[in-house]
Amino acid sequence: MTTLEHLPFHAAVVRSGKAPKATGGLLAAAVVILAALPYVAFTGATSAMVTFFVLLIMASMWNLLAGFGGMVSVGQQAYVGVGAYTVLAFANLGMHPFLALPLAALTCAVFAIPTSWLAFRLRGDYFAVGTWVIAEVYRLVIIRFDSLGGANGKSLPGLSGMDPVLRGALTYWAALAIAALTVTGCYLLMRGRTGLALTAVRDDETAARANGVGVTWSKRLVYLVSAAGCGAAGGILIIDSLSVQPNAIFSVQWSAYMIFIVILGGIGYLEGPLLGAIVFFVLQQLLAGYGSWYLIILGLIGVAGAVWLPHGLWGTITRTTGLQLFPVGYLLRTEPVTGKTAGKTTSPKRRIGSST
Amino acid sequence: MDFVNTLVQGVMLGGLYALFAAGLSLMFGVMRMVNLAHGDLAVAAAYLVVVLLGSSFLPLWLVILIALPLFALIGYATQRGLFSRSLKAGPLSTLLVTFGLSIIVQNGLLQAFSADTRTIDFGALNTGAFRLGPISVSYLGLLTLALAVAVIAGVQLFPSRTRTGRMMRAVSDDADTASLVGANSRHLYAIATAIAFGTVALAGIMSGARSSFDPSMGPAQLIFAFEAVVIGGLGSLGGTLAGGAVLGLTQAFAAQIDPSSTLLAGHLVFLAVLAFRPQGLIPQRAV
């Protein structure tokens, strides 16, 4: 701290600036405008937006897991499925499906605890395939319950009497609320101690452990949060389609979508999934009629992106312009001392060393 | 005698899984990468054989002799053109590239051949069996097991007995230092990938003759191969053979008790090994 005072310029470590606050306000305004959509748009438009929010939630959760936690999973569809089936199970017991949504997230977080004991024994690539096997196990176990529809799936009770327009609007708001909560939650999580610990773990696990970072605890926390988010997304999916089919809800395709969105948008940037989900959503609308060509093109873009655009679209943008919507890192800002600005510019949010 | 019969069927099924796993194990051993398109490549090889058999008058043995080197060549080219770039960008990139490749191959096959199931016609070999007392042993299962043992022995001996193999081990340990003594890591990695692609093509062909297949079967094949590797112990090829046998036996006995629990039983054994013996049945010896 003191050494900085002797420099011929003011140096301060800052995190937030004017621009992020403006964009933050903009995003908040976007959420408010989006919330009003069911009053002005047709059900078709809101239904398409539900798909978008589900993709955004899943991608944000995968980004948290892989981009910040360093855990590349190909098995998050386990929690999409468990979330959907939790809503179904509570609806079977007579609970209103919308009220079961938080329970779906909670159930997934609970299931994720024993799962993480097993999955965390594997590292890197083996973790990826291991989580995939675990997702298969969840599917194979759930289809053994006849009360949940077995291998054929089941329709969701409890919503048939509801007015379709109202149901559409409620689904839309629930999806929007969970998406907003997910993005904000990721931001707050990554801003805090956990974020710092995770970034350290991702960059060098051994060094982080040596410096006293609670590596396993941080990773497990992120794994649980990610499971809960995917569970809520699965709950939205079953409410939106009013039925569940085990092979579809536990499909590895969900992981493919998550990975594609995050890679395209920019892995390790909170803005990445948002941008990636928008691009993916547009591609999906454009290519939906082409059957399996659509997935082939997605695969090609994914491969090309992973090799030639490792930082994704947002990473490229932020590296060239310095723009950040959700600043979670710290920047060193230096300005030469001049009589006029000396007093004004030294009001940084944080200085080096001031936090300890 | 039911018991002995199931035992024999299980071991032969395990041979198939071990054959699938050999390439996966080799690529992980040399390049520390898991090829998520492994299973889809096997299915693609099976389709190639079906197409070649259907559109020409070539005999089966010649078709297989064309298909295997062709897949090895594809493997060499894929490593040089694609995997080498992603390996440079980091492990995450490699995983994503192979996952993307898996989606491309799977949906490409779906587009070209529809979702109908196919089988490779091996003539009398498809169903032929000889009786050993009360036990029926299929020629195909026995051939697969023999091929698995031969492939695994080959992949095991190759790194220690040949010059290329020794260079490959050196590159795997430290590519920069190995390059000082003239090892071309790009070429050697590509050789390893070529061997892996060739063996997985063989596995796909044997599997396609044993039972019917469709484009969506790749991920399942990958998972079985992966389970065989982990149950046997990472990096140990002898373990892979044992892991395949354990998986095959589990599935065969589970099918005997309750056919719907076949897959689940295999996965549960895998998870149990992960939980109680994470180093696998036959862990890698310290070098």
Side-chain angles (χ1 to χ4, degrees), chain B residues 34-58:
Chain B
V34 171
N35 178 12
L36 293 181
H38 196 72
D40 300 290
L41 290 168
V43 178
Y47 271 106
L48 177 70
V49 167
V50 165
V51 168
L52 284 179
L53 277 180
S55 65
S56 66
F57 299 102
L58 298 175

Side-chain angles (χ1 to χ4, degrees), chain B:
Chain B
M1 268 307 117
D2 253 8
F3 177 79
V4 182
N5 198 32
T6 312
L7 197 75
V8 171
Q9 308 307 329
V11 168
M12 290 196 296
L13 183 61
L16 182 64
Y17 292 152
L19 192 56
F20 267 113
L24 200 69
S25 194
L26 178 70
M27 282 181 80
F28 184 77
V30 176
M31 286 161 288
R32 300 274 133 197
M33 68 179 275
V34 171
N35 178 12
L36 293 181
H38 196 72
D40 300 290
L41 290 168
V43 178
Y47 271 106
L48 177 70
V49 167
V50 165
V51 168
L52 284 179
L53 277 180
S55 65
S56 66
F57 299 102
L58 298 175
L60 178 70
W61 61 270
L62 193 59
V63 165
I64 293 177
L65 276 189
I66 293 171
L68 297 187
L70 183 65
F71 260 76
L73 210 63
I74 294 172
Y76 191 92
T78 311
Q79 176 65 40
R80 291 300 290 256
L82 193 62
F83 293 166
S84 66
R85 289 173 211 273
S86 64
L87 279 170
K88 217 178 291 166
L92 175 67
S93 172
T94 312
L95 199 68
L96 300 171
V97 164
T98 60
F99 190 61
L101 197 63
S102 156
I103 293 169
I104 295 168
V105 172
Q106 192 180 335
N107 287 285
L109 291 174
L110 188 65
Q111 188 69 34
F113 300 104
S114 82
D116 299 342
T117 56
R118 309 283 181 102
T119 326
I120 297 175
D121 187 9
F122 266 31
L125 257 178
N126 274 81
T127 49
F130 62 89
R131 297 196 73 80
L132 206 73
I135 309 154
S136 149
V137 182
S138 78
Y139 290 119
L140 193 68
L142 204 61
L143 179 64
T144 310
L145 183 60
L147 282 172
V149 174
V151 163
I152 285 191
V155 172
Q156 183 90 292
L157 291 179
F158 174 70
S160 54
R161 299 290 167 86
T162 64
R163 183 179 151 73
T164 314
R166 282 192 289 268
M167 295 276 254
M168 201 178 277
R169 266 166 62 207
V171 163
S172 172
D173 284 347
D174 188 336
D176 291 336
T177 312
S179 71
L180 292 176
V181 292
N184 179 353
S185 66
R186 287 166 57 86
H187 173 70
L188 290 164
Y189 282 166
I191 296 274
T193 310
I195 296 173
F197 274 43
T199 58
V200 81
L202 182 62
I205 293 165
M206 298 313 286
S207 169
R210 183 181 181 275
S211 54
S212 57
F213 57 92
D214 65 73
S216 67
M217 279 184 56
Q221 314 277 41
L222 167 74
I223 285 179
F224 292 147
F226 172 76
E227 287 179 337
V229 172
V230 173
I231 292 173
L234 294 180
S236 145
L237 281 160
T240 300
L241 200 56
V246 168
L247 190 62
L249 283 170
T250 309
Q251 291 190 352
F253 278 105
Q256 196 77 8
I257 296 160
D258 171 14
S260 70
S261 69
T262 312
L263 295 179
L264 185 59
H267 294 328
L268 290 180
V269 165
F270 163 77
L271 292 182
V273 168
L274 209 54
F276 302 112
R277 199 174 159 80
Q279 72 273 37
L281 298 177
I282 306 175
Q284 192 180 20
R285 281 167 301 169
V287 187

Side-chain angles (χ1 to χ4, degrees), chain A residues 314-338:
Chain A
W314 186 261
T316 312
I317 292 173
T318 194
R319 273 157 188 256
T320 46
T321 64
L323 182 68
Q324 281 188 306
L325 296 186
F326 305 108
V328 290
Y330 293 91
L331 292 171
L332 186 69
R333 182 166 294 167
T334 55
E335 283 174 47
V337 182
T338 62

Side-chain angles (χ1 to χ4, degrees), chain A residues 85 88-89 92 142 145-150 153-154 244 246:
Chain A
Y85 272 99
L88 178 65
N92 277 346
I142 280 180
F145 288 95
D146 287 332
S147 61
L148 295 174
K154 203 173 180 213
V244 66

